[in-house]
Amino acid sequence: MSKIKVCIDAGHGGKDVGAVNGNRYEKTDTLKIAKRLGKVLKANGIEVCYTRTTDIYDSPSDKVKKGNASKADYFISIHRNAAASSIANGTEVLICNTSNKKYDISKAICKQFKERNGFTDRGVKMRNDLTVLNKTNMPAILVEVGFISCKQDNELLDKKFASVVNAIACGFMNGIGLKFKTLT
């Protein structure tokens, strides 16, 4: 069996800061999460590539081109949610449809977020309007790692950073039927 390859997309970047809360920028959080996720997946025998590893801007179409060119088996886009209300909270995973393994992976990640870290589980949601979900050649998911606009979600991410990233990696591995080994 050939090695499984995942393309990890750190959402936003460069001139596109994403959601903002004070001096906290989505693009910074997503890059930190993406790099750690790559390290954890590599430690679990998964081949990894990235759409970005520095603070650069690529359009969603550019990110899809990078993902498709990588010939990865899966595409994981990392984001942080935001809302006008600071009480909106929780994690969710977005997919464009329930075909192939992406629904199983998404459900497994949601379960891990709740069990490992206590995030509110907002579940798996369908979004067919997002380029990174519907233009990739491989199954793609978009993980919303809590609300940047919510103090409690930011505290969970900061205090349990390694555990939060492990939740994504473990959910991915479980969703494709592989055993996960924790990286501390």
Side-chain angles (χ1 to χ4, degrees):
M1 186 172 117
S2 63
K3 199 175 226 189
I4 292 169
K5 185 175 185 180
V6 175
C7 182
I8 302 172
D9 170 43
H12 306 283
K15 68 182 182 182
D16 176 10
V17 298
V20 178
N21 182 350
N23 61 358
R24 187 173 199 139
Y25 299 100
E26 183 178 6
K27 71 174 185 172
T28 307
D29 284 356
T30 62
L31 185 58
K32 185 177 172 188
I33 294 164
K35 285 179 165 181
R36 175 73 184 185
L37 178 60
K39 185 176 180 182
V40 173
L41 288 176
K42 283 178 189 172
N44 277 274
I46 304 292
E47 189 178 339
V48 172
C49 64
Y50 302 88
T51 59
R52 71 180 179 100
T53 55
T54 59
D55 187 19
I56 60 163
Y57 172 75
D58 281 321
S59 71
S61 295
D62 291 334
K63 290 170 179 266
V64 166
K65 284 179 190 161
K66 286 181 178 181
N68 289 341
S70 76
K71 305 257 190 274
D73 299 294
Y74 298 93
F75 188 92
I76 301 174
S77 188
I78 304 295
H79 285 263
R80 301 282 321 277
N81 226 332
S85 167
S86 63
I87 61 169
N89 65 72
T91 56
E92 61 192 34
V93 181
L94 310 178
I95 55 177
C96 66
N97 58 50
T98 58
S99 69
N100 56 54
K101 282 279 189 197
K102 64 182 164 266
Y103 186 60
D104 295 336
I105 293 166
S106 300
K107 286 190 307 185
I109 290 172
C110 288
K111 180 181 179 200
Q112 289 296 318
F113 273 140
K114 185 175 176 123
E115 287 179 3
R116 287 174 178 260
N117 304 300
F119 278 104
T120 299
D121 179 10
R122 295 171 58 92
V124 179
K125 298 193 173 156
M126 300 300 150
R127 288 284 302 270
N128 59 10
D129 60 327
L130 299 173
T131 301
V132 296
L133 295 181
N134 64 28
K135 299 290 185 193
T136 50
N137 295 335
M138 71 289 291
I141 64 171
L142 189 151
V143 182
E144 293 279 10
V145 187
F147 279 74
I148 201 167
S149 52
C150 175
K151 182 181 178 201
Q152 298 92 308
D153 280 2
N154 289 332
E155 287 173 355
L156 275 175
L157 176 60
D158 294 342
K159 286 180 186 166
K160 298 184 171 190
F161 182 76
S163 180
V164 170
V165 175
N166 283 345
I168 301 168
C170 182
F172 171 77
M173 301 286 292
N174 290 346
I176 62 170
L178 297 176
K179 293 272 186 233
F180 172 74
K181 84 178 169 212
T182 301
L183 181 65
T184 53

